[in-house]
Amino acid sequence: MRRHIVIGAAALLTAAVAACSSSASSSSGSTASSAKAPSGTLVISDSQGTQWNCSFNPFNPSNLATGVTFGQVYEPLVFVNTLQSGKTTPWLATAWAWSNNNKTLTFTVRNGVKWNDGTPMTAADVAFTFNLLKKYPALDVNSVWSVLQTVTQSGANQVVMTFKAPSVPYFYYIGDQVPIAPEHIWSKIANPVTYADANPVATGAFMVNPCTPQNITYAANPHYWQPGEPKIAKVLYPAFTSNTPANTYLATGKAQWGSQFIPNIQSVYASKSADNHYWFAPIANVSLIPNLTVPGLNNVAVRQAMAYAIDRNKVSQIGEYGEEPPANQNAIVTPTFSSWMNSQAAAQYNYSYNPAKAEQILTKAGYTKGSDGIFAKGGQKLSFSVINQGGFSDWVAAMSVIQSDLKAVGIQITPQNLANNDFLARLYSGSFQLAYNNETGGPTPYYEFRQWLYSANSAPIGKNASTNWERYINPATDALLNAYATTTDPATQQHIMDQLQQVVLSEVPFIPMTQEVAWYQYNTGSFTGWVTPSNPYALPGQYLGPDEGQVLLHLAPK
């Protein structure tokens, strides 16, 4: 079911550097004269392990992780398809161009777009949004202001962004990953960081109407700027606290779009109806995350031992039923990004399952095993808690394997299976010893490496880190990530990625367990226009923004 996708940086860069045409594409090509009223109700099934808090703040990492706001409600300037070599589609911007040796990026903002309250959207809103992220760094979840210098409106419909250095790869974050917010609403908010945004005013094809702890209802936006869109009248997103009832919804056809783990998916889901289908494209890594400020875990020897001690194949088979392949310590997702793999470095470290080597590393580092079978040094036992998503049955099963493997080499971990909101709050604030989670990645491996390793994405313990939850700080690694952003030469980019893989192999700031796939189940009985391996027009995981909005615009009732 997996399609071999090879995504190259050069294609993304070429697309980003070029100015683009002025029309956004959707599946129907509808015009005002042929437009029909939206109809039908689509039901999403994606267990988040919690009830809804009815917050739709598009700059809140928790909301971005659950797919409740970005894409279908708030929209970006450009859509970048990571499954089609970074193909770009104009969205709230109709065109863009780099100049000044790739240190200036000028966007032309689309005319005729309205916020869902009927107010026109303008270039002023775009400039305001980016400067809002500068004023409140907690909103800048991808640290775009680490490279931006100024963002200003120019004339009636242009926004000019200047950069501290050439920064073409940042086009993905700036064009695709920043939701545009209305100045007439957000300029009046006292604290945008804590703002719930329960009734969001945005440009997307759908409006929240209403939200309860049990269900979010999205209704078609009557002011939407694309004629004939959306074709669906209503989208329901029920809250599920565990996978089991959500899986039943999918298998029985009560929900049409799923984005979750289903054990024995062929028998439990696909065999139940000829209309039930699935596709899992690998996009990033699910990793065991050590808090690098915690004694013991701040010792690289301990982290290396853990990387050798865990049988990733077993984690994949028992935790994920093989639906997510085992990861590698290079942190390169295969086959999606196989061309980027530093095979020489992988062979040098050879992080295959090797419990004996794990114990040798700990002994050499001065640890001794006590009568309880747990290694200790200076009175400090290698005993840690690990936070996990309690509602994700696959992650709970995977953690049981990890716990058993580590215990076998003298490292004790105690899982804490938490509700989603509690888990994310502790993850972002650094209130954990070990954690289990994934990053989102991007069009090349650079983007996931930047999420894990870039210092600007971290934060002191007690303050929220947008990514880099392990609190990895290394100026030399920052320099590599920054150097990648200043070049468009594929050979130079590959050389930098080779060095970044060396960092992950030698320092083990995180330990990839399985390859994160874009979980995706879909039922063709009532709707057409689904993402397929032969037509990968967007990432199909419902929780991946802004791609979710693209999928909803392609779907139509039969």
Side-chain angles (χ1 to χ4, degrees):
M1 295 297 294
R2 292 184 179 88
R3 176 172 175 263
H4 287 218
I5 308 159
V6 179
I7 302 174
L12 171 66
L13 298 176
T14 300
V17 170
C20 285
S21 61
S22 61
S23 63
S25 64
S26 68
S27 60
S28 66
S30 301
T31 62
S33 61
S34 63
K36 296 180 180 179
S39 62
T41 299
L42 175 80
V43 180
I44 294 170
S45 178
D46 181 15
S47 173
Q48 298 295 341
T50 187
Q51 292 191 319
W52 300 124
N53 61 10
C54 294
S55 169
F56 298 93
N57 184 328
F59 308 108
N60 183 315
S62 296
N63 294 341
L64 296 175
T66 52
V68 298
T69 188
F70 188 30
Q72 74 276 41
V73 179
Y74 285 91
E75 295 184 306
L77 292 171
V78 183
F79 173 61
V80 179
N81 185 357
T82 63
L83 292 183
Q84 290 185 320
S85 300
K87 177 183 176 182
T88 56
T89 300
W91 216 249
L92 296 183
T94 59
W96 50 89
W98 289 92
S99 59
N100 187 28
N101 191 31
N102 292 333
K103 291 193 290 186
T104 300
L105 177 60
T106 301
F107 284 98
T108 300
V109 178
R110 187 180 297 276
N111 291 320
V113 177
K114 290 184 177 180
W115 302 104
N116 58 30
D117 64 358
T119 304
M121 185 207 74
T122 69
D125 293 302
V126 176
F128 167 81
T129 298
F130 280 88
N131 284 298
L132 184 70
L133 306 190
K134 182 180 182 181
K135 184 177 180 180
Y136 298 93
L139 304 180
D140 187 9
V141 295
N142 288 303
S143 302
V144 296
W145 278 99
S146 67
V147 294
L148 280 171
Q149 194 167 48
T150 62
V151 176
T152 57
Q153 182 179 354
S154 177
N157 67 342
Q158 289 194 320
V159 173
V160 179
M161 302 182 180
T162 64
F163 295 79
K164 301 169 186 175
S167 303
V168 170
Y170 276 79
F171 181 86
Y172 168 69
Y173 289 121
I174 287 166
D176 182 86
Q177 292 291 302
V178 174
I180 303 304
E183 182 177 12
H184 70 285
I185 300 293
W186 285 75
S187 62
K188 301 172 184 176
I189 296 168
N191 187 348
V193 176
T194 59
Y195 179 55
D197 198 18
N199 297 291
V201 174
T203 62
F206 290 91
M207 304 169 62
V208 177
N209 184 25
C211 174
T212 69
Q214 294 75 36
N215 180 72
I216 302 171
T217 299
Y218 299 95
N221 176 7
H223 298 291
Y224 193 54
W225 54 273
Q226 291 197 60
E229 300 289 356
K231 295 177 283 295
I232 297 172
K234 188 180 294 185
V235 177
L236 303 181
Y237 192 176
F240 291 103
T241 56
S242 71
N243 286 34
T244 303
N247 291 345
T248 300
Y249 247 63
L250 283 168
T252 58
K254 292 181 180 179
Q256 296 79 42
W257 186 7
S259 294
Q260 62 199 40
F261 167 72
I262 301 178
N264 294 317
I265 190 168
Q266 190 60 39
S267 61
V268 172
Y269 173 72
S271 67
K272 301 301 182 183
S273 170
D275 292 320
N276 287 350
H277 307 274
Y278 63 94
W279 177 42
F280 304 142
I283 55 174
N285 290 284
V286 180
S287 298
L288 185 64
I289 308 165
N291 186 327
L292 301 180
T293 70
V294 171
L297 295 175
N298 61 2
N299 187 331
V300 66
V302 174
R303 303 195 300 271
Q304 289 174 337
M306 295 173 80
Y308 282 108
I310 300 168
D311 187 344
R312 301 172 212 228
N313 287 309
K314 194 174 179 181
V315 173
S316 169
Q317 290 301 318
I318 293 180
E320 306 295 344
Y321 284 71
E323 294 169 21
E324 285 193 326
N328 56 75
Q329 189 57 43
N330 285 55
I332 297 295
V333 173
T334 61
T336 309
F337 300 126
S338 293
S339 63
W340 293 89
M341 175 70 77
N342 185 342
S343 299
Q344 183 177 357
Q348 174 190 348
Y349 286 89
N350 189 21
Y351 274 105
S352 57
Y353 175 51
N354 193 336
K357 185 165 185 175
E359 293 202 42
Q360 290 169 4
I361 290 172
L362 293 174
T363 300
K364 185 177 179 180
Y367 289 88
T368 56
K369 190 178 286 189
S371 59
D372 57 359
I374 305 303
F375 274 105
K377 180 181 179 181
Q380 176 71 50
K381 285 188 178 183
L382 295 184
S383 179
F384 311 102
S385 62
V386 53
I387 62 170
N388 197 7
Q389 287 268 19
F392 294 180
S393 59
D394 53 333
W395 284 14
V396 172
M399 190 54 62
S400 294
V401 176
I402 295 168
Q403 181 182 24
S404 177
D405 283 351
L406 291 176
K407 182 179 180 181
V409 301
I411 300 174
Q412 183 179 61
I413 65 169
T414 303
Q416 297 177 347
N417 296 319
L418 307 176
N420 180 69
N421 290 341
D422 189 16
F423 171 83
L424 292 176
R426 290 184 59 180
L427 178 73
Y428 296 145
S429 66
S431 180
F432 66 91
Q433 294 181 322
L434 288 161
Y436 197 64
N437 203 42
N438 58 269
E439 299 284 10
T440 57
T444 75
Y446 163 78
Y447 296 92
E448 185 181 1
F449 275 69
R450 184 181 178 276
Q451 289 162 357
W452 285 118
L453 303 176
Y454 197 45
S455 296
N457 291 346
S458 187
I461 298 297
K463 294 188 177 296
N464 285 351
S466 59
T467 54
N468 193 341
W469 304 302
E470 73 276 18
R471 270 64 183 179
Y472 175 81
I473 309 294
N474 189 326
T477 304
D478 287 342
L480 288 172
L481 291 162
N482 289 333
Y484 184 103
T486 66
T487 180
T488 59
D489 176 55
T492 303
Q493 290 180 334
Q494 179 67 66
H495 179 63
I496 293 170
M497 284 304 305
D498 286 346
Q499 295 177 78
L500 288 170
Q501 289 172 68
Q502 285 275 7
V503 168
V504 176
L505 290 164
S506 62
E507 299 183 40
V508 195
F510 60 98
I511 308 172
M513 289 288 103
T514 64
Q515 295 187 19
E516 178 207 356
V517 300
W519 294 109
Y520 174 48
Q521 300 91 20
Y522 60 105
N523 182 288
T524 56
S526 302
F527 296 91
T528 62
W530 295 101
V531 175
T532 63
S534 61
N535 184 23
Y537 60 79
L539 288 170
Q542 172 278 329
Y543 50 89
L544 297 168
D547 300 59
E548 177 181 5
Q550 296 291 317
V551 175
L552 289 173
L553 286 175
H554 280 72
L555 295 181
K558 280 190 172 180

